[in-house]
């Protein structure tokens, strides 16, 4: 019996779900889970940058039965992929099934973000892990140089770093994402999950809505924690509104910590029970 954790990902979708799924992998690390992502590159990223031991790319959530066995345990991020019929099949297939967004909240962050670090950057920007349509790059055209450090995204096109350098004080490599989020006092970002991580670090996130996506997942978390939002038609305008916002930054709420103890107990009890009966099952099928 194996524990699987699934997160949708991709060059046009980003890594917000994967970052959240990595939290779950660390929470349930004693169960040695396998992280399944929609693309192999995201699984490789999770292993190299997020401390995940085991990861695999499976293209779509519908391929999970090809890697799982009946009776396995699954935790999956509610990425709107699974239809009601598919979810019914998943419940029948799995011993335990947990859905992020229902059984587990979206506002979970890794414990590494709760460890205090000295502030290195007064202001910074992390757009997203993806800019497939180069919307952000185009947003920067004709912009003046900003007094901001910018964290690069994982799925940015090769060469875009050099194109973005003239518009920012400093470019931070994607490998330094966690440290940069933890050590930036005011972080402007188009990622809700990054807002949660900045908040957990004791810092002050500011959200801006990207113009290349109609639907933003988990946007309700901004209201829950009173995280301010800025808009603008170009980078200069967005940063100007960002600077005005941080001058009168609102009182934000501390991020809520979810109690995983009940879920961990259910999973651990099931794995222990299966471990006890596994030898007899192996004997039955091999004798």
């Amino acid at each position: 019996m194996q524990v699987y954790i699934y997160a949708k990902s991709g060059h046009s979708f980003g890594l917000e779900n994967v970052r959240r799924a990595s939290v779950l992998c660390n929470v349930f690390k004693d169960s040695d889970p396998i992280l399944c992502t929609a693309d192999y590159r995201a699984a490789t990223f999770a292993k190299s940058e997020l401390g995940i031991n085991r990861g695999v790319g499976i293209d779509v959530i519908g391929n999970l039965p090809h890697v799982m066995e009946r009776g396995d345990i699954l935790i999956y991020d509610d990425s709107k992929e699974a239809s009601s019929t598919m979810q019914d099949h998943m419940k029948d297939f799995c011993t335990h099934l947990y859905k992020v967004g229902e059984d587990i909240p979206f506002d979970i962050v890794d414990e590494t973000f709760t460890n205090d670090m000295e502030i290195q950057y007064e202001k910074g920007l992390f757009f997203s892990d993806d800019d497939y349509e180069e919307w952000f790059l185009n947003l920067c055209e004709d912009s003046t140089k900003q007094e901001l450090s910018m964290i690069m995204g994982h799925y940015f096109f090769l060469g875009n770093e050099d194109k973005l350098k003239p518009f920012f004080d400093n470019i931070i490599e994607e490998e330094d994402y966690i440290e940069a989020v933890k050590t930036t006092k005011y972080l402007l970002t188009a990622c809700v999950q990054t807002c949660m991580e900045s908040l957990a670090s004791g810092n002050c996130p500011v959200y801006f809505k990207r113009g290349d996506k109609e639907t933003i997942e988990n946007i309700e978390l901004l209201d829950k924690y009173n995280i301010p939002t800025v808009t603008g038609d170009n980078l200069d305008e967005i940063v100007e509104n960002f600077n005005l916002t941080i001058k009168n930054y609102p009182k934000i709420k501390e991020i809520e910590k979810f109690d995983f103890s009940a879920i961990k107990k259910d999973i651990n009890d099931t794995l222990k029970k299966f471990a006890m009966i596994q030898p007899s099952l192996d004997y039955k099928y091999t004798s």
Side-chain angles (χ1 to χ4, degrees):
M1 179 175 288
Q2 178 65 56
V3 177
Y4 289 87
I5 297 173
Y6 173 79
K8 183 177 179 180
S9 60
H11 60 267
S12 61
F13 189 82
L15 291 172
E16 290 198 57
N17 290 8
V18 175
R19 294 187 186 279
R20 191 163 48 246
S22 73
V23 179
L24 299 173
C25 287
N26 289 325
V27 167
F28 298 100
K29 61 183 177 182
D30 292 341
S31 301
D32 197 22
I34 296 176
L35 174 65
C36 297
T37 60
D39 67 310
Y40 184 78
R41 181 175 171 181
T44 303
F45 167 84
K47 288 192 286 185
S48 64
E49 303 299 331
L50 302 178
I52 305 307
N53 291 326
R54 299 199 288 171
V56 61
I58 63 169
D59 292 331
V60 293
I61 194 171
N63 285 337
L64 278 172
H66 300 312
V67 297
M68 297 175 65
E69 294 182 357
R70 180 172 291 277
D72 281 337
I73 297 168
L74 174 63
I75 305 171
Y76 71 106
D77 203 292
D78 181 26
S79 55
K80 308 299 187 295
E81 283 184 283
S83 65
S84 58
T85 301
M86 182 182 291
Q87 292 181 68
D88 288 339
H89 289 316
M90 291 160 67
K91 289 177 182 178
D92 178 66
F93 189 85
C94 300
T95 300
H96 294 298
L97 181 68
Y98 303 100
K99 182 178 180 180
V100 179
E102 290 186 4
D103 307 295
I104 298 170
F106 287 116
D107 47 344
I108 54 174
V109 298
D110 197 83
E111 288 186 354
T112 186
F113 289 101
T114 63
N115 300 326
D116 293 337
M117 290 184 68
E118 184 178 347
I119 295 297
Q120 296 184 36
Y121 309 102
E122 179 71 12
K123 297 183 293 184
L125 183 148
F126 175 69
F127 169 63
S128 175
D129 277 301
D130 67 293
D131 189 25
Y132 186 68
E133 300 293 338
E134 297 193 325
W135 180 82
F136 179 74
L137 180 63
N138 293 331
L139 190 75
C140 294
E141 287 187 357
D142 302 321
S143 166
T144 56
K145 187 171 184 177
Q146 308 297 331
E147 295 180 355
L148 293 173
S149 294
M150 181 192 168
I151 309 169
M152 289 295 294
H154 181 66
Y155 290 105
F156 278 28
F157 286 103
L158 185 66
N160 280 7
E161 179 177 347
D162 290 336
K163 295 177 182 178
L164 289 166
K165 279 182 178 179
F167 305 109
F168 299 95
D169 275 349
N170 181 37
I171 298 292
I172 301 172
E173 299 295 336
E174 61 166 306
E175 292 83 1
D176 297 319
Y177 168 91
I178 294 175
E179 181 179 342
V181 171
K182 291 176 65 174
T183 60
T184 300
K185 184 175 182 180
Y186 296 103
L187 183 63
L188 179 64
T189 177
C191 288
V192 176
Q193 181 65 20
T194 303
C195 284
M196 297 298 103
E197 293 167 346
S198 175
L199 184 66
S201 300
N203 297 320
C204 305
V206 176
Y207 179 83
F208 81 93
K209 186 179 183 301
R210 54 192 296 172
D212 59 336
K213 292 190 176 183
E214 294 183 3
T215 302
I216 305 297
E217 295 186 351
N218 312 326
I219 197 76
E220 67 278 359
L221 292 178
L222 303 179
D223 288 334
K224 178 178 179 179
Y225 292 104
N226 201 33
I227 295 173
T229 299
V230 298
T231 59
D233 294 328
N234 53 61
L235 184 62
D236 283 338
E237 187 176 335
I238 290 171
V239 173
E240 180 182 0
N241 292 334
F242 170 60
N243 288 330
L244 290 173
T245 298
I246 64 178
K247 284 182 179 179
N248 298 284
Y249 196 82
K251 182 176 178 57
I252 50 179
K253 300 177 183 178
E254 291 187 6
I255 195 164
E256 295 179 2
K257 190 171 182 178
F258 181 70
D259 185 1
F260 284 96
S261 58
I263 296 177
K264 291 177 75 171
K265 184 179 185 305
D266 286 344
I267 291 177
N268 290 336
D269 287 350
T270 299
L271 292 175
K272 288 178 181 178
K273 182 179 179 181
F274 181 80
M276 292 176 64
I277 66 172
Q278 181 64 41
S280 62
L281 290 175
D282 290 341
Y283 176 81
K284 176 183 177 182
Y285 290 121
T286 58
S287 61

